[in-house]
Amino acid sequence: MQSGAGDIALGNRVATWMGARSYPIYLWHWFPIVFYSHWFSIDLTVPVALAMLIGVLIAAHITYEL
């Protein structure tokens, strides 16, 4: 059987990691978005968005492991 692009994507460690944590990411991603927009009246900047993304990924990983 030939290996195709789907085999490469499914065997990718990053894609596998994200796929396993997709539900915790889904659960956690709204908190920083809603709280940031509620507490601050300024636009979302790239550094703040990256910090939120990192925080969500950390929270999702901890949730997945526990």
Side-chain angles (χ1 to χ4, degrees):
M1 184 158 84
Q2 287 183 316
S3 64
D7 294 336
I8 294 170
L10 293 175
N12 184 328
R13 292 183 63 177
V14 175
T16 303
W17 189 91
M18 290 289 287
R21 288 150 184 85
S22 62
Y23 189 66
I25 291 169
Y26 165 75
L27 293 176
W28 283 107
H29 84 282
W30 280 112
F31 291 107
I33 295 170
V34 170
F35 288 136
Y36 184 84
S37 66
H38 179 71
W39 287 333
F40 303 104
S41 61
I42 57 175
D43 291 335
L44 184 66
T45 62
V46 173
V48 173
L50 288 175
M52 284 183 188
L53 175 64
I54 291 168
V56 166
L57 292 176
I58 291 170
H61 177 70
I62 291 169
T63 302
Y64 176 80
E65 292 297 327
L66 293 177

